[in-house]
Amino acid sequence: MANLLTLRTFSDTRGNLSVLEDHEIPFPIKRLFYIYGVDESKRGGHRHKTTHQALICLTGSCRVRVNNGQEGQHYHLNTPKNCLILEPKDWHDLYDFAPNTILLSCASEYFNQDDYIFEEYNQAR
């Protein structure tokens, strides 16, 4: 099931610096992408065969609904201090994007259309 991490963050009068190092996530990062300019649409709507992801809301906020076929969970990403780790089996919908939200995704694999599963589980909604 998905796991929400609180990133080490250093704060002082100059601002904040949050750190995500390779020993904190359970996979090597091969691809980065970010989602922004989202209207009232949902994003995601899939799970993967092999790809793990780490989601960080750099600015703004969004909600993530996760379903691994056994249980479901909702997350509110609203600070860059948090990182949501998604396993390949985690079906995820991204929704309720605030204006000017930028959501960063760190992925364990390069893009491969054959890695996507667009059928959601029937239970644990």
Side-chain angles (χ1 to χ4, degrees):
M1 186 65 182
N3 180 29
L4 188 64
L5 305 176
T6 300
L7 302 178
R8 285 180 299 126
T9 299
F10 304 92
S11 301
D12 62 27
T13 58
R14 301 170 296 165
N16 305 300
L17 184 148
S18 293
V19 178
L20 177 63
E21 293 183 343
D22 61 354
H23 66 275
E24 297 170 303
I25 57 174
F27 57 85
I29 297 170
K30 291 186 178 176
R31 181 170 60 112
L32 299 174
F33 62 91
Y34 47 96
I35 299 170
Y36 61 100
V38 179
D39 57 15
E40 296 173 7
S41 301
K42 286 187 178 182
R43 299 297 308 247
H46 61 270
R47 54 190 163 110
H48 292 278
K49 294 175 183 172
T50 61
T51 300
H52 292 78
Q53 289 180 275
L55 303 179
I56 303 170
C57 194
L58 299 177
T59 186
S61 66
C62 71
R63 297 186 184 277
V64 183
R65 181 177 66 93
V66 178
N67 172 0
N68 71 2
Q70 302 297 314
E71 60 183 311
Q73 184 72 38
H74 291 260
Y75 298 91
H76 186 207
L77 299 181
N78 62 356
T79 175
K81 295 178 184 180
N82 288 340
C83 175
L84 182 61
I85 304 294
L86 297 175
E87 298 179 17
K89 65 184 174 186
D90 291 333
W91 170 275
H92 54 282
D93 281 323
L94 312 170
Y95 64 99
D96 197 18
F97 283 80
N100 301 315
T101 295
I102 300 173
L103 181 70
L104 174 67
S105 178
C106 309
S108 66
E109 305 298 328
Y110 300 116
F111 176 79
N112 177 355
Q113 183 65 37
D114 292 335
D115 185 51
Y116 287 70
I117 300 170
F118 294 101
E119 293 179 27
E120 185 174 3
Y121 302 105
N122 289 328
Q123 67 264 22
R125 294 183 181 209

